[in-house]
């Protein structure tokens, strides 16, 4: 199965990507993994990407696309893959479509993890990090009432990334980029949405059921 996974920050996309890919016996291909593999492998593309990352700049689309193309050409990706983090926008989706058709292939399905904004804010803005051991606690899920780490006694704080304002901003950016991508795939009749609230195993189960009609 050739599958793209999309979902907002805080949807548990990384975790689901891993479980779904392993259930389907296909490689999970995330842009983060591809970047790291190219940089640590010392490839030409990795060297170029690293220059941008070291300056704190975004890696240009052409470089990302070339890395994705290389990765999708590898033998383990010939019978299927789960893409996580690519495509990020409609132009990338169009390039992916063209790339796959050159390989004589096409996407089977795009799975969207659906979580409403307030749930994302509750999940992310409820996180507290221990300043001493780095463990993350959650005010609701761990029923954390005080600001002391139960493991090491360190003081808990809220990371800037987890502040409600930052979380809402990240959601806005996500909606801006991804809403057009989601409607692009809806128009291509490839989009399937799955409710991504509740226990992790239940979400995986729901996803597997939603994907069943697309399995070979
Ligand atoms: Zn601690």
């Amino acid at each position: 199965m050739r599958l793209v996974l999309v979902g907002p920050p805080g949807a548990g996309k990384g975790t689901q990507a891993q479980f779904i890919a392993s259930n389907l016996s296909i490689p999970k291909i995330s842009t983060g993994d591809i970047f790291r593999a190219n940089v640590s492998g010392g490839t030409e593309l990795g060297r170029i990407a690293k220059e941008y990352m070291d300056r704190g700049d975004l890696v240009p689309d052409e470089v990302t696309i070339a890395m994705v193309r290389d990765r999708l050409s590898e033998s383990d990706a010939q019978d299927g893959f789960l893409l996580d983090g690519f495509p990020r926008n409609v132009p990338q989706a169009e390039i992916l479509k063209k790339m796959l058709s050159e390989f004589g292939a096409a996407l089977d399905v795009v799975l969207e993890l659906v979580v409403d904004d307030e749930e994302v804010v509750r999940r992310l803005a409820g996180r507290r990090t221990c300043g001493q051991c780095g463990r993350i606690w959650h005010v609701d899920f761990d029923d954390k009432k005080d600001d002391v780490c139960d493991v090491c006694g360190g003081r808990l704080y809220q990371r800037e990334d987890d502040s409600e304002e930052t979380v809402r901003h990240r959601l806005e950016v996500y909606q801006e980029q991804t809403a057009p991508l989601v409607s692009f795939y809806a128009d291509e009749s490839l989009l399937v949405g799955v409710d991504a609230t509740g226990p992790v195993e239940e979400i995986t189960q729901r996803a597997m059921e939603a994907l069943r009609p697309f399995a070979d």
Side-chain angles (χ1 to χ4, degrees):
M1 188 185 294
R2 294 180 180 84
L3 158 70
V4 166
L5 186 65
V6 295
K13 198 154 61 81
T15 308
Q16 291 303 329
Q18 211 125 34
F19 288 151
I20 294 167
S22 108
N23 277 328
L24 292 170
S25 308
I26 52 177
K28 174 190 84 91
I29 300 179
S30 78
T31 37
D33 292 344
I34 298 179
F35 281 3
R36 276 187 292 276
N38 274 277
V39 171
S40 68
T43 69
E44 176 65 11
L45 289 168
R47 197 186 54 71
I48 298 169
K50 192 170 180 298
E51 277 173 25
Y52 285 92
M53 292 188 287
D54 286 348
R55 287 199 302 263
D57 291 333
L58 276 177
V59 178
D61 260 16
E62 316 88 78
V63 178
T64 307
I65 289 159
M67 286 183 186
V68 170
R69 178 188 291 275
D70 281 356
R71 182 63 188 89
L72 291 181
S73 310
E74 283 175 34
S75 59
D76 67 334
Q78 296 319 300
D79 293 328
F81 52 78
L82 182 154
L83 266 178
D84 170 18
F86 186 93
R88 222 173 250 297
N89 51 44
V90 174
Q92 287 188 353
E94 271 159 355
I95 287 164
L96 177 64
K97 189 179 175 182
K98 205 166 146 251
M99 196 190 290
L100 289 174
S101 80
E102 284 164 18
F103 298 153
L107 280 183
D108 294 302
V109 60
V110 174
L111 185 73
E112 183 190 15
L113 298 178
V114 181
V115 190
D116 79 59
D117 283 7
E118 293 317 306
E119 173 65 15
V120 169
V121 171
R122 189 172 83 96
R123 285 183 192 182
L124 296 184
R127 287 153 48 110
R128 299 291 180 271
T129 304
C130 174
Q132 200 159 288
C133 73
R135 192 189 159 117
I136 294 167
W137 300 88
H138 197 283
V139 290
D140 296 332
F141 309 143
D142 297 315
D143 195 24
K144 201 77 198 90
K145 301 288 179 235
D146 56 17
D147 61 353
V148 177
C149 177
D150 292 348
V151 171
C152 76
R155 197 60 175 269
L156 305 185
Y157 72 104
Q158 187 182 44
R159 289 176 52 217
E160 175 55 32
D161 269 4
D162 296 334
S163 75
E164 181 171 342
E165 203 191 334
T166 307
V167 172
R168 288 198 188 277
H169 178 70
R170 282 168 65 198
L171 279 169
E172 269 168 38
V173 171
Y174 173 79
Q175 293 301 349
E176 259 172 42
Q177 287 189 333
T178 312
L181 185 64
V182 165
S183 40
F184 173 86
Y185 281 131
D187 290 345
E188 302 250 304
S189 305
L190 287 173
L191 189 71
V192 170
V194 149
D195 174 13
T197 52
V200 171
E201 318 79 66
E202 275 178 29
I203 300 168
T204 309
Q205 230 162 48
R206 248 176 254 148
M208 294 313 296
E209 239 145 75
L211 292 174
R212 191 169 305 148
F214 301 91
D216 299 328

